[in-house]
Amino acid sequence: PLAGPARVAARAALADGGWQDRTRRALAEAGDSLEQLLEEAGLVQGGGTPLFRWLPLGQAEPVHRTLARQGIWTRYFSEPSGVRFGLPAGEDAWERLRRALAALPPEALPGGA
């Protein structure tokens, strides 16, 4: 069951092809930006969608915990070992993610010491 206002919003969104196209483009661009940011940090993605990127990591749990302590929530996977990053919600969140990734210890990165 959906509340009345949610139904009205959903009906409007489903009827607005222009909004759907703009949203698809914006999500694709944001997904590409996330992928680029992760690659710049030395994290090579293993897959994903415009909404998230999954990274295979041998040290996934420490990476997940380190980022969580900095206010970056990822989804931890034990098998196969990896973390999933969702799209940051706004420019402040993007900047916080940039800083958190830059602060990851080299040994946490693939090929790290």
Coordinates of all heavy atoms in Angstrom, one line a residue, residues 50-87:
P50 N 24.3 2.2 -12.5 CA 24.4 3.7 -12.3 C 24.2 4.1 -10.8 O 24.7 5.1 -10.4 CB 23.3 4.3 -13.1 CG 23.2 3.3 -14.2 CD 23.4 1.9 -13.6
L51 N 23.6 3.2 -10.0 CA 23.3 3.5 -8.6 C 24.4 3.1 -7.6 O 24.5 3.6 -6.5 CB 22.0 2.9 -8.2 CG 20.8 3.4 -8.9 CD1 19.5 2.6 -8.5 CD2 20.5 4.8 -8.7
F52 N 25.2 2.1 -8.0 CA 26.3 1.6 -7.1 C 27.4 1.0 -7.8 O 27.3 0.7 -9.0 CB 25.7 0.7 -6.1 CG 25.3 -0.7 -6.6 CD1 26.2 -1.7 -6.8 CD2 24.0 -0.9 -7.0 CE1 25.8 -2.9 -7.4 CE2 23.6 -2.1 -7.6 CZ 24.5 -3.1 -7.7
R53 N 28.5 0.9 -7.1 CA 29.7 0.1 -7.7 C 30.2 -0.9 -6.6 O 30.3 -0.6 -5.4 CB 30.9 1.1 -8.0 CG 30.6 2.1 -9.1 CD 30.4 1.3 -10.4 NE 30.4 2.1 -11.6 CZ 29.3 2.6 -12.2 NH1 28.1 2.3 -11.7 NH2 29.4 3.3 -13.3
W54 N 30.4 -2.1 -7.1 CA 30.9 -3.1 -6.2 C 32.4 -3.3 -6.5 O 32.8 -3.3 -7.7 CB 30.2 -4.4 -6.5 CG 30.7 -5.6 -5.6 CD1 30.3 -5.7 -4.3 CD2 31.6 -6.6 -5.9 NE1 31.0 -6.8 -3.8 CE2 31.8 -7.4 -4.8 CE3 32.3 -6.9 -7.1 CZ2 32.6 -8.5 -4.8 CZ3 33.1 -8.0 -7.1 CH2 33.3 -8.8 -5.9
L55 N 33.2 -3.4 -5.4 CA 34.6 -3.6 -5.6 C 35.1 -4.9 -4.9 O 34.9 -5.1 -3.7 CB 35.4 -2.4 -4.9 CG 35.0 -1.0 -5.3 CD1 35.5 0.0 -4.4 CD2 35.5 -0.8 -6.7
P56 N 35.8 -5.7 -5.6 CA 36.3 -6.9 -5.0 C 37.6 -6.5 -4.2 O 38.5 -5.9 -4.8 CB 36.7 -7.8 -6.2 CG 36.9 -6.9 -7.3 CD 36.0 -5.7 -7.1
L57 N 37.6 -6.9 -3.0 CA 38.8 -6.5 -2.1 C 39.1 -7.6 -1.2 O 38.2 -8.2 -0.5 CB 38.5 -5.3 -1.3 CG 38.3 -3.9 -1.9 CD1 37.7 -2.9 -1.0 CD2 39.6 -3.5 -2.6
G58 N 40.4 -8.0 -1.2 CA 40.8 -9.0 -0.2 C 40.7 -8.6 1.2 O 40.4 -9.4 2.1
Q59 N 40.8 -7.3 1.5 CA 40.7 -6.7 2.8 C 39.4 -5.8 2.9 O 39.4 -4.7 3.4 CB 41.9 -5.8 3.1 CG 43.2 -6.5 3.1 CD 43.3 -7.5 4.2 OE1 42.9 -7.2 5.4 NE2 43.8 -8.7 4.0
A60 N 38.3 -6.4 2.5 CA 37.0 -5.7 2.4 C 36.5 -5.2 3.8 O 36.1 -4.1 3.9 CB 35.9 -6.5 1.7
E61 N 36.6 -6.1 4.8 CA 36.0 -5.7 6.1 C 36.7 -4.5 6.7 O 36.1 -3.6 7.2 CB 36.0 -6.9 7.0 CG 35.2 -6.6 8.3 CD 35.0 -7.8 9.2 OE1 35.6 -8.9 8.9 OE2 34.2 -7.7 10.1
P62 N 38.1 -4.5 6.7 CA 38.8 -3.3 7.3 C 38.5 -2.1 6.5 O 38.3 -1.0 7.1 CB 40.2 -3.7 7.2 CG 40.3 -5.2 7.1 CD 39.0 -5.6 6.4
V63 N 38.4 -2.2 5.2 CA 38.0 -1.0 4.4 C 36.6 -0.5 4.8 O 36.4 0.7 5.0 CB 38.1 -1.3 2.9 CG1 37.5 -0.2 2.1 CG2 39.6 -1.5 2.5
H64 N 35.7 -1.4 4.9 CA 34.3 -1.1 5.2 C 34.3 -0.4 6.6 O 33.7 0.7 6.8 CB 33.5 -2.3 5.3 CG 32.1 -2.2 5.9 ND1 31.1 -1.5 5.3 CD2 31.6 -2.6 7.1 CE1 30.0 -1.6 6.0 NE2 30.3 -2.2 7.1
R65 N 35.0 -0.9 7.6 CA 35.0 -0.3 8.9 C 35.7 1.0 9.0 O 35.3 1.9 9.6 CB 35.7 -1.3 9.9 CG 34.8 -2.5 10.2 CD 35.4 -3.4 11.2 NE 34.6 -4.5 11.4 CZ 34.8 -5.5 12.3 NH1 35.9 -5.4 13.0 NH2 34.0 -6.5 12.4
T66 N 36.8 1.1 8.2 CA 37.6 2.4 8.2 C 36.7 3.5 7.6 O 36.6 4.6 8.2 CB 38.9 2.2 7.4 OG1 39.7 1.3 8.0 CG2 39.6 3.6 7.3
L67 N 36.0 3.2 6.5 CA 35.1 4.2 5.9 C 34.0 4.5 6.8 O 33.6 5.7 6.9 CB 34.7 3.7 4.5 CG 35.8 3.6 3.5 CD1 35.3 2.9 2.2 CD2 36.3 5.0 3.1
A68 N 33.4 3.5 7.5 CA 32.2 3.7 8.4 C 32.6 4.7 9.5 O 31.8 5.5 9.9 CB 31.7 2.4 8.9
R69 N 33.8 4.6 10.0 CA 34.3 5.5 11.1 C 34.3 6.9 10.6 O 34.3 7.8 11.4 CB 35.6 5.0 11.7 CG 35.5 3.8 12.6 CD 36.8 3.6 13.4 NE 37.9 3.1 12.5 CZ 38.1 1.8 12.2 NH1 37.3 0.9 12.7 NH2 39.1 1.5 11.5
Q70 N 34.4 7.1 9.3 CA 34.5 8.4 8.7 C 33.1 8.9 8.2 O 33.0 9.9 7.4 CB 35.5 8.5 7.6 CG 36.9 8.2 8.2 CD 38.0 8.2 7.1 OE1 38.1 9.3 6.4 NE2 38.6 7.1 6.9
G71 N 32.1 8.1 8.5 CA 30.7 8.5 8.0 C 30.4 8.1 6.6 O 29.4 8.6 6.0
I72 N 31.2 7.2 6.1 CA 30.9 6.6 4.7 C 30.4 5.2 4.9 O 31.1 4.3 5.3 CB 32.2 6.6 3.8 CG1 32.9 8.0 3.8 CG2 31.9 6.0 2.5 CD1 32.0 9.0 3.1
W73 N 29.1 5.0 4.5 CA 28.6 3.7 4.7 C 28.7 2.9 3.4 O 28.2 3.4 2.3 CB 27.1 3.8 5.1 CG 26.6 2.5 5.5 CD1 25.6 1.7 4.9 CD2 27.0 1.7 6.7 NE1 25.4 0.5 5.5 CE2 26.3 0.5 6.6 CE3 27.9 1.9 7.7 CZ2 26.4 -0.5 7.6 CZ3 28.1 0.9 8.6 CH2 27.3 -0.3 8.6
T74 N 29.3 1.8 3.4 CA 29.4 0.8 2.3 C 28.7 -0.4 2.7 O 28.4 -0.7 3.9 CB 30.8 0.5 1.9 OG1 31.5 -0.1 3.0 CG2 31.5 1.8 1.5
R75 N 28.4 -1.3 1.8 CA 27.9 -2.6 2.1 C 29.0 -3.6 2.0 O 29.7 -3.7 1.0 CB 26.8 -3.0 1.2 CG 26.3 -4.4 1.4 CD 24.8 -4.5 1.4 NE 24.4 -5.9 1.8 CZ 23.5 -6.6 1.2 NH1 22.9 -6.1 0.1 NH2 23.3 -7.8 1.6
Y76 N 29.2 -4.3 3.1 CA 30.3 -5.3 3.2 C 29.8 -6.7 2.7 O 28.7 -7.1 3.1 CB 30.9 -5.4 4.6 CG 31.7 -6.6 4.9 CD1 32.9 -6.8 4.3 CD2 31.2 -7.6 5.8 CE1 33.7 -7.9 4.5 CE2 32.0 -8.7 6.0 CZ 33.2 -8.8 5.4 OH 34.0 -9.9 5.6
F77 N 30.6 -7.3 1.9 CA 30.3 -8.7 1.5 C 31.5 -9.6 1.9 O 32.7 -9.2 1.6 CB 30.2 -8.8 -0.1 CG 28.9 -8.0 -0.6 CD1 29.0 -6.7 -0.9 CD2 27.8 -8.7 -0.8 CE1 27.9 -6.0 -1.3 CE2 26.6 -8.0 -1.2 CZ 26.7 -6.7 -1.5
S78 N 31.2 -10.7 2.5 CA 32.3 -11.6 2.9 C 32.7 -12.6 1.8 O 33.8 -13.0 1.7 CB 31.9 -12.3 4.2 OG 30.7 -13.1 4.0
E79 N 31.7 -13.1 1.0 CA 32.0 -14.0 0.0 C 31.2 -13.6 -1.3 O 29.9 -13.7 -1.2 CB 31.6 -15.4 0.4 CG 32.6 -16.1 1.3 CD 33.9 -16.3 0.7 OE1 34.0 -16.6 -0.5 OE2 34.9 -16.1 1.4
P80 N 31.8 -13.3 -2.3 CA 33.2 -13.0 -2.4 C 33.5 -11.7 -1.7 O 32.6 -10.8 -1.5 CB 33.5 -12.8 -3.9 CG 32.1 -12.4 -4.5 CD 31.1 -13.0 -3.6
S81 N 34.7 -11.5 -1.2 CA 35.1 -10.4 -0.4 C 35.0 -9.1 -1.2 O 35.7 -9.0 -2.2 CB 36.5 -10.6 0.2 OG 36.8 -9.5 1.0
G82 N 34.2 -8.1 -0.7 CA 34.1 -6.9 -1.4 C 33.3 -5.9 -0.7 O 32.7 -6.2 0.4
V83 N 33.2 -4.7 -1.2 CA 32.4 -3.6 -0.7 C 31.6 -3.0 -1.8 O 32.1 -2.9 -3.0 CB 33.1 -2.5 0.1 CG1 33.7 -3.1 1.4 CG2 34.2 -1.9 -0.7
R84 N 30.4 -2.5 -1.5 CA 29.6 -1.8 -2.5 C 29.4 -0.4 -2.0 O 29.0 -0.1 -0.9 CB 28.3 -2.5 -2.6 CG 27.4 -1.9 -3.7 CD 26.1 -2.7 -3.9 NE 25.2 -2.3 -2.8 CZ 24.1 -3.0 -2.5 NH1 23.7 -4.0 -3.2 NH2 23.4 -2.6 -1.5
F85 N 29.7 0.5 -3.0 CA 29.5 2.0 -2.7 C 28.2 2.4 -3.4 O 28.1 2.2 -4.6 CB 30.7 2.7 -3.3 CG 32.0 2.6 -2.5 CD1 32.7 1.5 -2.7 CD2 32.4 3.6 -1.7 CE1 33.9 1.3 -2.0 CE2 33.6 3.4 -1.0 CZ 34.4 2.3 -1.2
G86 N 27.4 3.1 -2.7 CA 26.2 3.8 -3.4 C 26.6 5.2 -3.8 O 27.7 5.7 -3.4
L87 N 25.7 5.8 -4.5 CA 26.0 7.2 -4.9 C 25.9 8.1 -3.7 O 24.9 8.1 -2.9 CB 24.9 7.7 -5.9 CG 24.9 7.0 -7.3 CD1 23.8 7.5 -8.2 CD2 26.3 7.2 -8.0

